[in-house]
Amino acid sequence: MSFKENFEKEDKDSLDYDDSAFYYYGFSMLVVVALPLTPNTNGIITADVLDAIGPTGYFVNVGRGELVDQPALTAALLEGRLGGAGIDVTTPEPLPADDSLWAAPNVIITPHNSGSTDGTGGRADEAFLANLERWVAGADLANEVAP
């Protein structure tokens, strides 16, 4: 399950449950969120979304913690209204030791490293060294992002 690139938080309030993303949550075994945090995506995963996913569905967040109503997520897990969750990002980070999300059943919490593999460091080193060579030679840098 994914959102269209231009899906905005305000859109969810006007969606018709019969033909919207919300309708399909109930049919999804797994909903993965990898959205960036913007003013329009902040809090986009609400209690209603989690309830629509339901007790047989699973929710994964690898985007930003603020995308999710975390108290609603915790409640849905503790009350059995959500089948399970994989959480790579939380609000706040790191998640305090006394946060009740730690005690929720069927949740895996990782330390905001979903994008890392055992080869990540080596690839970063290679990219840096290649760009250093380009910079010394006065050439255009690879993967340059304009502000």
Side-chain angles (χ1 to χ4, degrees), residues 11-24:
D11 293 338
K12 77 170 180 54
D13 294 329
S14 64
L15 289 174
D16 182 323
Y17 279 78
D18 292 333
D19 61 0
S20 70
F22 285 85
Y23 176 77
Y24 295 102

Side-chain angles (χ1 to χ4, degrees), residues 30-31 57-62 70 73-74 77-78 82-90 93 95 100-114:
L30 177 66
V31 175
Y58 295 87
F59 172 74
V60 175
N61 185 10
V62 295
Q70 193 165 294
L73 172 63
T74 302
L77 287 163
L78 289 171
L82 181 65
I87 306 299
D88 188 52
V89 289
T90 60
E93 285 184 337
L95 190 63
S100 55
L101 186 57
W102 289 113
N106 300 327
V107 66
I108 296 172
I109 303 171
T110 58
H112 198 159
N113 65 353
S114 65

Side-chain angles (χ1 to χ4, degrees), residues 22-110:
F22 285 85
Y23 176 77
Y24 295 102
Y25 287 137
F27 296 104
S28 301
M29 292 176 53
L30 177 66
V31 175
V32 178
V33 175
L35 293 167
L37 180 62
T38 70
N40 292 322
T41 61
N42 191 340
I44 199 165
I45 303 300
T46 63
D48 288 341
V49 171
L50 297 168
D51 285 343
I53 296 169
T56 60
Y58 295 87
F59 172 74
V60 175
N61 185 10
V62 295
R64 294 288 180 248
E66 294 87 348
L67 298 172
V68 181
D69 178 342
Q70 193 165 294
L73 172 63
T74 302
L77 287 163
L78 289 171
E79 296 166 11
R81 294 182 286 114
L82 181 65
I87 306 299
D88 188 52
V89 289
T90 60
T91 303
E93 285 184 337
L95 190 63
D98 62 348
D99 193 288
S100 55
L101 186 57
W102 289 113
N106 300 327
V107 66
I108 296 172
I109 303 171
T110 58

Side-chain angles (χ1 to χ4, degrees), residues 109-135:
I109 303 171
T110 58
H112 198 159
N113 65 353
S114 65
S116 298
T117 68
D118 54 355
T120 301
R123 287 189 303 274
D125 292 347
E126 291 170 9
F128 171 78
L129 292 173
N131 262 346
L132 180 60
E133 288 178 15
R134 287 183 176 94
W135 181 75

